[in-house]
Amino acid sequence: MLFSSLIIASFSIVDLNLFPEFRELKKHLENHNFIVKIESPPVRSTYGLLDTKTRTIWIEPLVFELGIALPTLIHEATHAAQLCEGKGQIRALGLPFSPPNISRPFFTHYNHGLRRHLEAEAYAVQTHPDGYNLVISLLDKHC
């Protein structure tokens, strides 16, 4: 199963030293046996993508130019924690908070209730004021 968030193709080299929190979260995911690739995802029109079978996360390089690299990785890292929680099958974490209403158009179009809930959780963590530390703790707890 593939999970993604919106885009266009881009080809650029990214210096992760300019994005220390992104670099550290990437390393944290790799320590939990995920592969993080900074290249266009294999599914068009996505900024980020998690392949649950291979534990591979793709991050579109354009997100660095758009200034949304860290939120995109936080979103996909939330899906990674959901995958760990389900022991190989993606499963909701049961978070005690919801995403802001402004993010609803990004996930309410999913017809499948579970998929909608999984995306809502990822947007909730992505938009949380302390989303970076929150997703680190979710990875540590569930992976």
Side-chain angles (χ1 to χ4, degrees):
M1 186 178 273
L2 300 174
F3 287 84
S4 65
S5 346
L6 293 162
I7 153 159
I8 349 173
S10 173
F11 303 97
S12 60
I13 304 300
V14 176
D15 180 0
L16 290 184
N17 290 320
L18 299 174
F19 303 92
E21 286 183 315
F22 184 97
R23 184 185 68 234
E24 290 304 313
L25 181 51
K26 178 181 181 291
K27 181 192 258 183
H28 207 77
L29 283 158
E30 291 167 345
N31 288 340
H32 286 295
N33 300 312
F34 287 90
I35 299 164
V36 180
K37 296 182 175 187
I38 300 171
E39 58 187 56
S40 295
V43 173
R44 293 187 58 189
S45 300
T46 59
Y47 286 132
L49 180 81
L50 167 65
D51 182 335
T52 60
K53 289 184 175 79
T54 64
R55 295 175 68 101
T56 301
I57 295 171
W58 285 268
I59 300 296
E60 169 61 48
L62 179 64
V63 298
F64 291 91
E65 296 172 40
L66 295 174
I68 59 169
L70 185 59
T72 301
L73 187 58
I74 289 171
H75 183 101
E76 298 307 325
T78 303
H79 289 314
Q82 292 168 333
L83 180 63
C84 292
E85 168 64 16
K87 310 248 185 295
Q89 297 292 321
I90 200 150
R91 179 177 166 186
L93 302 171
L95 300 176
F97 51 89
S98 299
N101 286 336
I102 197 166
S103 67
R104 292 197 178 281
F106 297 108
F107 61 86
T108 55
H109 65 279
Y110 291 108
N111 293 329
H112 190 272
L114 175 60
R115 176 69 186 270
R116 187 179 311 130
H117 187 68
L118 296 169
E119 289 299 327
E121 281 192 337
Y123 279 104
V125 175
Q126 173 184 342
T127 58
H128 190 278
D130 195 23
Y132 173 78
N133 289 313
L134 177 58
V135 81
I136 294 282
S137 68
L138 290 172
L139 288 166
D140 289 344
K141 178 180 179 181
H142 299 285
C143 297

